[in-house]
Amino acid sequence: MATSGGKVLDFEEYVRTRQDALLRSARRLVPDPVDAQDLLQTALVRTYGRWDGIADKSLADAYLRRVMINTRTEWWRARKLEEVPTEQLPDASVDDGAEQRADRALLMDILSVLAPKQRSVVVLRHWEQMSTEETAAALGMSTGTVKSTLHRALARLRQELVNREVDARVLERDGRGRERCAA
């Protein structure tokens, strides 16, 4: 594999250093681990042909994630729905996802109490699962600053959750107390 001289070596080095993070991103897009590997491989093949066109290689992760999202969408659209007619309908217990949406809404709301720098550190470390060193490099700060910022941010998030639980209990208690008085 020696086409275009440095192109192959640059791409191979990039894949070697970023493959774990890219596979984690693929796992977030598709639930099956084997499908996630297939998705990443397909995205890498598609990206390889355009590698020279990516002027800013620091944006290669974002480019690859977009290729994975587009590929996953293509796969989803191309899937074949196999419906099998039956005489009896199966019992359907459908989870409406309301609890999951509520958890996500709470998470997004809670993150809003953090300063932008703290929010960036939390998202990169825990959502994107970057290492401390990767987070520091991405944000242009030292690893010590990342660690201390993350520590303070998580403490702030924990305190905010406790405050909200206390507020919810007070509201619940007040609501019950008013019902008793009215009865």
Side-chain angles (χ1 to χ4, degrees):
M1 254 182 154
T3 60
S4 301
K7 175 184 174 186
V8 174
L9 292 179
D10 289 343
F11 186 75
E12 286 178 2
E13 183 179 335
Y14 168 77
V15 172
R16 219 179 348 269
T17 58
R18 298 297 300 150
Q19 66 185 351
D20 292 336
L22 293 170
L23 185 57
R24 282 192 303 269
S25 293
R27 277 291 281 134
R28 285 189 214 104
L29 293 172
V30 293
D32 184 76
V34 174
D35 288 343
Q37 290 174 347
D38 288 346
L39 178 63
L40 177 58
Q41 289 302 315
T42 303
L44 288 171
V45 167
R46 291 179 178 183
T47 302
Y48 177 75
R50 301 195 183 271
W51 186 249
D52 287 338
I54 302 173
D56 186 359
K57 299 299 190 225
S58 66
L59 300 176
D61 278 6
Y63 183 89
L64 254 161
R65 285 187 182 105
R66 174 49 54 193
V67 171
M68 284 191 283
I69 290 168
N70 292 344
T71 302
R72 189 236 13 227
T73 302
E74 289 171 15
W75 289 357
W76 179 78
R77 287 179 180 156
R79 79 190 190 291
K80 293 182 180 174
L81 298 177
E82 295 181 15
E83 294 181 7
V84 179
T86 62
E87 288 186 31
Q88 271 190 325
L89 291 174
D91 290 335
S93 69
V94 177
D95 182 19
D96 66 356
E99 188 174 321
Q100 187 178 16
R101 283 190 296 280
D103 287 346
R104 182 175 176 81
L106 175 63
L107 173 64
M108 299 313 268
D109 190 40
I110 292 274
L111 282 174
S112 70
V113 303
L114 296 178
K117 179 176 153 183
Q118 289 179 326
R119 190 176 21 231
S120 298
V121 170
V122 169
V123 167
L124 291 177
R125 283 288 289 129
H126 291 286
W127 201 315
E128 288 296 323
Q129 297 179 343
M130 289 184 168
S131 69
T132 304
E133 293 76 19
E134 290 171 332
T135 303
L139 297 175
M141 56 178 67
S142 71
T143 56
T145 303
V146 168
K147 290 176 184 179
S148 62
T149 302
L150 181 63
H151 176 75
R152 280 189 231 103
L154 293 177
R156 175 73 176 101
L157 290 174
R158 283 186 203 100
Q159 185 59 49
E160 184 65 21
L161 282 172
V162 167
N163 292 345
R164 288 178 187 222
E165 285 177 16
V166 168
D167 290 346
R169 278 191 240 126
V170 167
L171 284 174
E172 186 178 302
R173 186 181 64 229
D174 287 349
R176 275 193 247 135
R178 287 186 192 140
E179 288 174 8
R180 287 186 189 138
C181 291

